[in-house]
Amino acid sequence: MELFERPSGGERAVLVHVAFQSRPDPGEIEEFTELAKSAGAEPVAFVTASRSQPDPGSFVGSGKLEEIRGILEAESGELVIFDHELSPRQERNIEQALSCRVLDRTGLILDIFAQRAQSHEGKLQVELAQLRHLSTRLVRGWTHLERQKGGIGLRGPGETQLETDRRLIGHRISRIRKRLEKVDARRELGRKARYRAEVPTLSLVGYTNAGKSTLFNRLTESRVYAKDQLFATLDPTLRQLLLPGNTSVVLADTVGFISRLPHELVAAFRSTLQESIDATLLLHVIDASSPEMAGQVAEVRNVLEEIGATGVPLLEVYNKIDRLDGVEPHVERDGEGKPVRVWLSAMQGTGLDLLLDVLEELVGPDRVTGSLVLAPDQGALRAALYREGHVDEESCSDDGSLELHVTLPRKRYEQLMNEFEALKRLQTESSGRERVTVSGSR
């Protein structure tokens, strides 16, 4: 028996959320609704259910399927989206029972990624994830997919690459992997060049819609797309950032995480997430105003563990404090005085100066600070220190000598000592700061 021919429409959606061993969670329901809207769906009804475990054949059971069918007819629904991962068998059985397209959570997130990807690399990664997911769902009735003209869950390779022949799908996956390997090689060359030049890399990570791109734009004066929606940006972006102590760093904006992030996406975007694995410091951007903050922080930590980035030093950045009453920008430190949290508002631009100072403290080069007395005939050293911006203060004595208070990187200090003997008389002061060292293999 052939499956029905899938219609090309399907934007009016009935959303289905099932709670197992508990009552439906309002936070999960709200996030699921936002996901559907981000994909372009128009939710016309929301169906909730409670079960001890999924039904092996239809996930929700025959009675709930009949209820969904009635709602579909009453609301002229064309698409049913489940907030869960369905097996190929369950998805096929539900489609036969409801005579409409059915999409699970993984397919929904993949569709959003297909819309957001702009770069060549991003499109390849999304297509790879889609093909891996859809290759498990190849059945006879799906031969009509190449006729589709889009729709939620059918973007990207849907209208050109989803032939039912598994061999063709396998060949396409192989070609995409080879093309991505070339992109990975170029990225690795860039990372090695930054490592050799001792340029620290800071990587923004966090739950989707935590404000990473807004913070990125504020810090780098860029125009990366930022909007109050899930997965507003997808493609990684790198920009140079100059810290208050003239330390040049590279800031990377990465894809946002989400609860139950499909493994296909984690695998496909591993090369993009490599920027986080090899970063000098991770900036974990957290939506301080979200009622689901604790769960979102836990999800981000889970993904960082999955990609092998738990060993990278991390600074928590609590964003959106403009939505909280009585919370001012501030820095929290641990018992040893090391900064561990910065509270700010990227939208309002408040607290950014605190963040920049903390970043300079954590990743800036080891510096030498001290006072130096120069005779009138040692103007060459004075000029060199001024030219490179190392002089903090200067005062003149009655005998014509100059006292300079200077701060400069230790490496440059050692270089200048070989050129100027007088610099060896610098009365150094200890900064007492704990350094962040570069981690990860290169």
Side-chain angles (χ1 to χ4, degrees):
M1 175 180 176
E2 291 286 322
L3 288 178
F4 60 90
E5 180 166 342
R6 293 176 164 204
S8 60
E11 305 305 305
R12 291 176 59 83
V14 173
L15 310 185
V16 180
H17 175 86
V18 181
F20 296 101
Q21 309 293 344
S22 62
R23 302 184 64 179
D25 184 281
E28 291 184 355
I29 291 175
E30 181 181 358
E31 181 179 271
F32 177 37
T33 304
E34 288 302 315
L35 276 174
K37 291 179 179 178
S38 295
E42 179 188 347
V44 294
F46 202 108
V47 179
T48 59
S50 297
R51 293 182 61 90
S52 58
Q53 60 186 11
D55 181 85
S58 63
F59 196 82
V60 292
S62 57
K64 185 60 69 172
L65 276 183
E66 284 300 316
E67 178 185 339
I68 296 173
R69 173 188 281 276
I71 293 174
L72 274 170
E73 295 175 355
E75 301 292 341
S76 300
E78 301 166 291
L79 170 68
V80 175
I81 307 177
F82 279 74
D83 189 22
H84 312 274
E85 185 170 350
L86 302 175
S87 70
R89 176 193 173 195
Q90 289 169 336
E91 188 172 315
R92 188 163 59 250
N93 290 344
I94 296 171
E95 287 191 328
Q96 286 179 321
L98 301 179
S99 298
C100 77
R101 286 194 295 119
V102 172
L103 198 64
D104 67 357
R105 182 181 176 87
T106 298
L108 177 62
I109 295 177
L110 287 171
D111 180 85
I112 297 172
F113 272 55
Q115 296 180 57
R116 301 286 192 266
Q118 298 296 323
S119 69
H120 173 66
E121 179 188 11
K123 292 176 181 178
L124 286 176
Q125 289 171 325
V126 171
E127 184 176 352
L128 176 61
Q130 286 181 310
L131 289 174
R132 282 173 170 168
H133 178 66
L134 292 171
S135 64
T136 65
R137 286 158 163 74
L138 294 175
V139 293
R140 286 183 298 158
W142 291 43
T143 55
H144 304 291
L145 276 174
E146 65 267 21
R147 305 180 195 173
Q148 299 300 329
K149 301 301 180 184
I152 298 172
L154 301 177
R155 298 179 224 275
E159 58 188 74
T160 58
Q161 298 298 336
L162 286 181
E163 298 87 358
T164 57
D165 192 316
R166 291 182 182 274
R167 180 176 56 83
L168 293 178
I169 292 287
H171 286 173
R172 178 61 181 165
I173 289 176
S174 179
R175 288 196 296 270
I176 292 175
R177 282 175 173 167
K178 290 179 180 178
R179 292 165 71 179
L180 282 173
E181 285 174 0
K182 294 180 180 179
V183 177
D184 293 346
R186 289 196 295 270
R187 282 191 175 276
E188 183 63 20
L189 286 175
R191 282 191 288 266
K192 287 181 177 179
R194 295 196 297 271
Y195 179 68
R196 286 194 298 269
E198 297 183 346
V199 178
T201 300
L202 314 180
S203 182
L204 294 171
V205 298
Y207 207 80
T208 182
N209 205 30
K212 297 186 305 302
S213 295
T214 301
L215 180 60
F216 182 87
N217 288 339
R218 281 282 189 177
L219 292 175
T220 63
E221 298 182 356
S222 301
R223 296 184 178 180
V224 172
Y225 180 70
K227 193 174 182 180
D228 187 17
Q229 62 180 203
L230 302 183
F231 300 118
T233 55
L234 174 60
D235 296 297
T237 307
L238 282 73
R239 293 287 188 274
Q240 187 178 35
L241 174 64
L242 192 64
L243 299 180
N246 289 326
T247 301
S248 179
V249 301
V250 171
L251 185 64
D253 185 18
T254 60
V255 62
F257 303 151
I258 196 169
S259 64
R260 293 174 282 154
L261 187 67
H263 290 287
E264 291 93 340
L265 281 177
V266 175
F269 282 81
R270 186 168 293 275
S271 61
T272 299
L273 298 173
Q274 192 72 30
E275 294 291 347
S276 299
I277 301 172
D278 289 338
T280 308
L281 178 69
L282 296 179
L283 304 185
H284 181 184
V285 183
I286 300 167
D287 181 357
S289 68
S290 173
E292 309 298 325
M293 182 180 68
Q296 293 174 358
V297 169
E299 288 292 343
V300 171
R301 289 174 179 168
N302 289 339
V303 176
L304 291 176
E305 182 177 358
E306 185 172 350
I307 65 175
T310 52
V312 182
L314 183 144
L315 174 71
E316 292 183 340
V317 180
Y318 284 80
N319 188 27
K320 303 187 181 182
I321 63 171
D322 53 294
R323 300 182 180 182
L324 303 176
D325 294 331
V327 179
E328 298 293 330
H330 65 281
V331 177
E332 292 184 26
R333 297 176 180 270
D334 61 16
E336 299 177 353
K338 180 181 178 181
V340 292
R341 299 181 190 88
V342 179
W343 295 72
L344 53 77
S345 169
M347 181 65 69
Q348 300 294 329
T350 55
L352 296 183
D353 54 337
L354 297 178
L355 175 62
L356 290 172
D357 288 340
V358 165
L359 295 180
E360 177 67 40
E361 180 177 343
L362 290 174
V363 303
D366 187 10
R367 297 184 181 276
V368 174
T369 300
S371 298
L372 178 68
V373 177
L374 298 180
D377 61 351
Q378 293 174 320
L381 174 55
R382 176 180 180 274
L385 293 171
Y386 265 102
R387 185 169 56 249
E388 298 179 14
H390 301 317
V391 179
D392 300 324
E393 296 179 15
E394 178 184 273
S395 59
C396 182
S397 300
D398 294 338
D399 61 0
S401 63
L402 299 172
E403 182 175 355
L404 277 64
H405 191 275
V406 299
T407 303
L408 66 166
R410 182 172 296 279
K411 186 174 182 179
R412 183 56 178 152
Y413 166 65
E414 294 170 351
Q415 292 172 341
L416 287 174
M417 273 201 306
N418 295 328
E419 186 176 350
F420 299 99
E421 185 76 16
L423 199 58
K424 294 181 180 179
R425 300 197 304 270
L426 180 71
Q427 300 297 312
T428 59
E429 304 167 4
S430 174
S431 65
R433 297 190 309 193
E434 181 176 341
R435 311 305 313 153
V436 169
T437 56
V438 178
S439 63
S441 59
R442 307 279 195 310

